[in-house]
Amino acid sequence: MKKALIKGNNAVVYSALLAGCRNFFGYPITPASEIAEGSALLYPKVGGTFLQAESEIGAINMVYGAASSGVRCMTASSSPGISLKMEGISYLAGAELPCVIVDVSRGGPGLGNIAPEQGDYNQIVKGGGHGNYKLIVLAPNSAQEMCDLTMLAFDLADKYRNPTVVLADGTIGQMMEPVEFPPPITTFPKKEWAVKATLETRENLISSIELDADRLEIHNQKLQKKYAIIEEKEVRYEAYCCDDAEIILCGFGIISRLLQSVVDEMRAEGIAVGMLRPITLFPFPKNIVDYYTLKRNLKFFNVFELNNGQMVDDVKLVVNGRKPVYFYGRMGGNLPTQKEIIHEVMKNMRQS
Amino acid sequence: MTRQHNILQKPSTFFDIFERKGVSEVKSTHYCPGCGHGILHKLIAEAIEDFGIQDKTVLISPVGCSVFAYYYFDTGNIQSAHGRAPAVGTGYKRANPHSIVISYQGDGDLAAIGANEIIQAANRGEAITVFFVNNAIYGMTGGQMAPTTLLNQTTTTTPYGRNKFHEGYPLRMSEIIATLEAPVYVERCMLTDAKNIAKTRNAVRKAIKAQMDQKGFSFVEVLSGCPTGWKMTPQEAKTWITTDLSTYFVPGVYKDDLETREPHEVKQENPPPEDYYHLLNINQTLKEEYVFPHVLKEPFLEEIKIAGFGGQGLLSLGYVIAALAMGHAYEVSWLPSYGPEMRGGTANCSVKISNSRIGSPLVTNPSTLIVMNKPSMKKFENAVINGGIIIYDSGLIDTPPSRQDVTAIGVPATEIADTLGNTKAANILLLGVYARLKKQFLDEQYIQTALPAILESKALRDVNIKAFNYGFTYSENMK
């Protein structure tokens, strides 16, 4: 077994190339720039194209163009840049174009700062662009998962003809950890819908416009059916020490690493705590939240996020008042300490 | 068979029936009488047919009246967002160098909302062809001002006429694009009469041919009538183009480098997958797993904070410690403080080492603090755990830590490194001190073997090895 000690952002670059991505369009922004820089260095070596676009808008539309031909392509940015991409993301979703978008999120709103925040949950998971669309959203919590979930993102994007987001944050992107890379992908799904500048594909059309209300409704219904299938088949999560837990700590991405440490620490004190980490944010792991809600020994959920409480809404929708759901968030790019998290959990224990 | 012999026949590159319209009138276009789009569509369709490039042509439809160009062209079709066609075309062409990409855009699309995309695509010399229909108004949305609307021209959003002090002047896109180095062909034409339509036909062909010959970016602006938007008859519209529009937007060739420009062939490498690891340089990044068993079997978690000024090699020191620990098959994480504070200011990183899965990568209370300037000592001294270790550069920090419950080791690392040959080796000297103190889980023999490969700077390798050994024995002597 060979491992590389590598930043999460660089793991994205390697795994995209190993996934057969040969087209990267991006624009520099901290803390995602290593992805563009690494791509600029490596894509030409394997016959790929790295192009620094004039803007995030340019970049996402270049992705739209490349994706129209069925090739694997991607872009990467951070929160303010992702906001700019939202127009293009809505078009990609409407035209059902597979592509991978990496968001190494940072502090907001506005220019905010470059520290790790998770304030992009709503714009990515709930749709920052217009229309009735969903993105497939994967939330890594380690450099290894930056690799694995980027690889998976390309597969899911192709499988469902849907833009797929790897939603990380500044910490995951900047952190170095050992990563084991998978072998390169050499066979790819056929894309008969693509416009390939060939006789066979001449009749194909990539578009998101449909003036007729009935036909646009049919298109939207088709999209919703696709999202329902994704919800049924593609849920991923990690449950750590949850089965006998009286308290379940819930968080995605970097915060889950802290929660895991907290679980270990509190378990050592004899407190039955577990951690539930959604890996797919859409599809949200509703069934498992429901499963633990129904467990008699569970007293409450405690959701931790690096934002003002965004994913907690999805937890509450499932729990639906059957158990208390407490929330604690830090903003501005601050991470809570383990002590702070334990203090919060203990406070809620006394309440319930 | 070329058009000249067959002028009454519809080009085969148009669909026979416009089924994509989805309404009953599938044999006529959606354009108004007197509109120029129909004529320009036909000139392009004929050129595609005559050049025999129908299968490899991809037309990008914009937002505007020509949003539905894909109703008519029997080619590959992509409909794009308002103004973004040149970016979409860029992405498409880069991924498909064999294709012929035509971006068809109106004036609002190209000169207002998409002004950046067109300038940048032109400036990169993207091998695409852009047809720019300038009718001085927003047709599709009902006659609002365009960036090309003439001064004093009334539109629904300039009901008192375009005022140069309020809306500025009409944008001359051909002139702007012609100032750029990369474009190979730029011409402005108009569709007023047979003579000018013939000129436009010629320009359309030159522009497409330029792309076929791999000569780069070509651009044809076409002054086109919009009788509906202008509230004129088709005949009045033609007259107005001649008398007004074409006197501000003067037709002509603004750039023609077709003869002198060398073709630029895009070659795409396609190496076999087995070469990827080598080409991607993953080989160098990958470290062979340590062949010996774990030095320490008992569960442990080492939390290190390394801090000082930017430029002292502290992030590298953290990386080297993490890489050495990974070589022992331990779990490791390395987390930098990142961003502007690193540029010239203070820098710190957190390293964790364990023989079980690492939760949080953050180090709040280090078991070891390695510190190389006073502010960092001040910042982190009190965070160190009871019984922890503080290793500091005593040449740079004159007051030793006041804590009595930690092991504090001061080494004038920078001074010693200087005498060894380079102050930059101070960080590795401190690594030596650290490694000696942590031999319960770091194996000296392994470090001696692996260190030369892990050190990134080849130039400093020898002095670094010397510094490591100095540090390693320094703490041994001290103990």
Side-chain angles (χ1 to χ4, degrees):
Chain A
M1 187 177 63
K2 281 178 160 188
K3 285 187 175 181
L5 182 59
I6 195 170
K7 275 190 181 185
N9 281 344
N10 288 324
V12 166
V13 178
Y14 288 116
S15 75
L17 285 163
L18 294 171
C21 177
R22 290 292 177 275
N23 295 276
F24 184 101
F25 305 99
Y27 188 85
I29 181 168
T30 309
S33 292
E34 290 86 359
I35 304 179
E37 290 164 353
S39 300
L41 187 70
L42 296 177
Y43 274 60
K45 294 188 180 183
V46 289
T49 296
F50 164 84
L51 187 61
Q52 181 168 329
E54 62 271 23
S55 66
E56 302 284 4
I57 298 167
I60 196 73
N61 281 283
M62 290 172 191
V63 166
Y64 184 100
S68 296
S69 69
V71 300
R72 288 192 160 181
C73 56
M74 73 175 293
T75 184
S77 187
S78 179
S79 310
I82 296 290
S83 299
L84 273 168
K85 289 186 194 293
M86 278 300 163
E87 173 200 61
I89 289 173
S90 172
Y91 278 74
L92 285 158
E96 294 190 86
L97 290 175
C99 63
V100 172
I101 300 154
V102 179
D103 179 3
V104 185
S105 69
R106 62 184 238 186
L111 203 48
N113 64 18
I114 57 171
E117 211 191 59
Q118 297 182 318
D120 283 13
Y121 185 91
N122 280 346
Q123 80 158 342
I124 295 290
V125 178
K126 304 295 177 178
H130 60 284
N132 312 302
Y133 76 89
K134 289 277 185 190
L135 304 170
I136 301 170
V137 187
L138 309 175
N141 80 345
S142 65
Q144 182 65 56
E145 282 195 354
M146 284 291 258
C147 165
D148 297 345
L149 295 184
T150 299
M151 208 107 184
L152 176 66
F154 281 102
D155 287 342
L156 294 178
D158 280 351
K159 188 173 173 187
Y160 294 102
R161 272 191 73 176
N162 209 68
T164 300
V165 176
V166 177
L167 178 58
D169 63 74
T171 311
I172 306 278
Q174 296 294 325
M175 178 170 67
M176 275 198 205
E177 287 184 317
V179 175
E180 190 186 350
F181 289 101
I185 306 283
T186 49
T187 51
F188 304 99
K190 281 205 171 106
K191 297 177 182 174
E192 278 160 9
W193 50 265
V195 172
K196 295 181 178 174
T198 58
L199 171 63
E200 298 73 39
T201 64
R202 202 176 78 204
E203 63 182 343
N204 290 344
L205 165 67
I206 303 298
S207 172
S208 64
I209 188 172
E210 182 50 76
L211 284 194
D212 183 78
D214 290 338
R215 290 203 301 201
L216 185 56
E217 187 171 43
I218 290 168
H219 175 62
N220 268 289
Q221 284 164 344
K222 193 186 110 194
L223 291 178
Q224 306 316 309
K225 272 184 200 151
K226 176 172 83 173
Y227 304 147
I229 293 169
I230 294 170
E231 288 205 75
E232 191 189 314
K233 294 194 169 166
E234 302 300 345
V235 169
R236 285 164 175 82
Y237 62 87
E238 180 191 357
Y240 180 67
C241 303
C242 281
D243 283 341
D244 66 336
E246 295 176 2
I247 301 159
I248 289 181
L249 312 181
C250 198
F252 71 97
I254 184 60
I255 196 86
S256 68
R257 296 282 294 268
L258 279 71
L259 298 180
Q260 187 202 323
S261 293
V262 166
V263 168
D264 291 344
E265 204 174 326
M266 292 185 79
R267 284 263 169 189
E269 300 291 320
I271 304 168
V273 188
M275 180 207 54
L276 181 61
R277 164 172 80 104
I279 295 173
T280 49
L281 301 179
F282 179 81
F284 192 75
K286 291 176 184 171
N287 290 346
I288 193 70
V289 174
D290 187 59
Y291 171 79
Y292 287 121
T293 306
L294 288 169
K295 281 212 160 192
R296 210 164 278 166
N297 55 328
L298 185 90
K299 289 182 180 152
F300 63 88
F301 288 94
N302 207 342
V303 179
F304 291 86
E305 298 178 68
L306 302 180
N307 58 37
N308 61 339
Q310 302 189 9
M311 188 190 77
V312 65
D313 291 347
D314 283 321
V315 177
K316 282 182 177 170
L317 277 172
V318 179
V319 175
N320 201 16
R322 290 174 292 172
K323 293 277 164 74
V325 178
Y326 298 109
F327 171 74
Y328 185 75
R330 291 295 304 268
M331 292 174 282
N334 282 314
L335 280 93
T337 60
Q338 281 166 227
K339 224 180 188 175
E340 200 177 336
I341 293 170
I342 292 169
H343 176 79
E344 191 62 26
V345 177
M346 299 295 274
K347 189 186 80 186
N348 293 328
M349 273 173 72
R350 287 192 293 274
Q351 270 180 25
S352 53
Chain B
M1 186 170 61
T2 64
R3 280 293 102 208
Q4 276 99 344
H5 305 297
N6 223 343
I7 48 174
L8 296 178
Q9 195 186 331
K10 178 190 73 63
S12 65
T13 45
F14 278 149
F15 290 114
D16 285 330
I17 294 171
F18 307 139
E19 284 173 353
R20 283 175 175 162
K21 276 183 86 179
V23 290
S24 54
E25 294 163 29
V26 291
K27 289 204 160 181
S28 60
T29 72
H30 70 289
Y31 298 119
C32 309
C35 170
H37 278 305
I39 302 170
L40 183 60
H41 278 21
K42 192 177 176 203
L43 296 177
I44 295 168
E46 286 174 352
I48 292 169
E49 180 182 48
D50 289 350
F51 287 137
I53 53 171
Q54 183 177 13
D55 294 339
K56 60 177 178 177
T57 295
V58 174
L59 184 83
I60 304 177
S61 310
V63 172
C65 282
S66 48
V67 66
F68 296 121
Y70 63 84
Y71 284 174
Y72 313 117
F73 284 90
D74 183 4
T75 61
N77 278 287
I78 299 173
Q79 205 291 315
S80 77
H82 199 22
R84 318 300 179 215
V88 171
T90 296
Y92 191 90
K93 183 79 182 198
R94 295 287 182 133
N96 303 274
H98 74 285
S99 63
I100 298 296
V101 174
I102 295 175
S103 174
Y104 189 107
Q105 301 182 259
D107 41 32
D109 194 80
L110 181 137
I113 200 164
N116 193 25
E117 282 78 7
I118 189 63
I119 296 285
Q120 303 287 349
N123 192 49
R124 287 190 302 263
E126 294 298 340
I128 64 174
T129 303
V130 178
F131 295 113
F132 169 41
V133 177
N134 177 357
N135 59 13
I137 206 156
Y138 280 56
M140 192 195 209
T141 45
Q144 295 84 7
M145 183 190 73
T148 48
T149 291
L150 294 186
L151 292 181
N152 303 318
Q153 186 183 339
T154 55
T155 69
T156 59
T157 50
T158 54
Y160 310 108
R162 181 175 186 157
N163 178 342
K164 65 186 177 190
F165 297 111
H166 196 63
E167 287 92 15
Y169 293 85
L171 264 176
R172 293 186 176 105
M173 291 307 293
S174 287
E175 286 85 336
I176 291 172
I177 297 208
T179 63
L180 303 172
E181 291 293 330
V184 65
Y185 191 77
V186 182
E187 181 170 352
R188 180 184 290 124
C189 310
M190 54 185 185
L191 298 169
T192 44
D193 49 44
K195 188 179 143 199
N196 277 296
I197 291 172
K199 273 192 180 175
T200 309
R201 178 180 184 271
N202 195 28
V204 165
R205 281 159 194 257
K206 273 189 174 173
I208 295 176
K209 188 75 176 21
Q211 184 179 171
M212 292 167 65
D213 294 344
Q214 300 175 314
K215 296 207 169 180
F217 181 89
S218 52
F219 183 89
V220 177
E221 176 176 347
V222 179
L223 303 181
S224 166
C226 182
T228 307
W230 297 348
K231 299 188 176 22
M232 294 178 187
T233 64
Q235 195 49 50
E236 287 166 350
K238 276 188 184 182
T239 308
W240 192 72
I241 294 174
T242 313
T243 56
D244 290 67
L245 201 59
S246 65
T247 54
Y248 186 86
F249 297 110
V250 180
V253 176
Y254 285 87
K255 186 163 190 192
D256 182 357
D257 287 352
L258 289 171
E259 289 300 314
T260 53
R261 187 70 60 88
E262 289 297 319
H264 174 65
E265 194 184 343
V266 177
K267 287 189 193 128
Q268 284 186 317
E269 307 281 329
N270 195 11
E274 54 268 27
D275 288 356
Y276 288 174
Y277 281 119
H278 170 65
L279 288 165
L280 298 179
N281 213 13
I282 295 182
N283 285 344
Q284 276 192 16
T285 322
L286 289 168
K287 307 278 183 278
E288 290 290 346
E289 189 182 357
Y290 184 40
V291 289
F292 306 110
H294 287 195
V295 176
L296 189 59
K297 295 277 190 188
E298 283 76 51
F300 76 99
L301 174 63
E302 165 78 341
E303 305 191 50
I304 314 162
K305 180 71 87 179
I306 304 169
F309 288 121
Q312 284 178 319
L314 297 158
L315 301 190
S316 306
L317 172 57
Y319 169 79
V320 172
I321 292 175
L324 288 170
M326 187 178 79
H328 289 70
Y330 295 135
E331 295 292 331
V332 299
S333 68
W334 173 96
L335 181 69
S337 62
Y338 61 86
E341 64 174 344
M342 280 175 56
R343 300 190 183 104
T346 56
N348 76 75
C349 67
S350 303
V351 176
K352 284 200 176 184
I353 306 170
S354 179
N355 46 13
S356 56
R357 181 178 154 179
I358 292 170
S360 168
L362 301 171
V363 173
T364 315
N365 298 110
S367 41
T368 301
L369 173 66
I370 302 175
V371 64
M372 287 185 74
N373 71 359
K374 275 196 214 174
S376 301
M377 176 71 101
K378 202 175 164 196
K379 190 173 176 186
F380 295 113
E381 180 189 340
N382 289 329
V384 177
I385 60 165
N386 190 342
I389 294 171
I390 299 177
I391 301 169
Y392 64 103
D393 189 323
S394 55
L396 302 175
I397 304 167
D398 46 18
T399 42
S402 53
R403 297 250 319 249
Q404 299 301 314
D405 60 336
V406 299
T407 307
I409 299 167
V411 189
T414 307
E415 284 171 31
I416 299 169
D418 193 26
T419 63
L420 293 176
N422 198 319
T423 52
K424 283 186 178 169
N427 59 347
I428 300 301
L429 193 148
L430 294 177
L431 170 70
V433 177
Y434 175 78
R436 184 70 193 138
L437 290 168
K438 294 292 178 182
K439 60 183 176 181
Q440 74 267 32
F441 63 85
L442 292 177
D443 182 82
E444 189 202 346
Q445 190 198 341
Y446 170 72
I447 295 176
Q448 293 286 5
T449 318
L451 192 57
I454 291 171
L455 292 171
E456 281 170 355
S457 165
K458 288 196 174 81
L460 293 177
R461 196 163 286 168
D462 290 346
V463 66
N464 271 328
I465 300 291
K466 259 197 271 177
F468 174 82
N469 288 327
Y470 192 100
F472 199 83
T473 46
Y474 185 92
S475 46
E476 186 159 61
N477 295 341
M478 195 197 69
K479 286 215 155 178

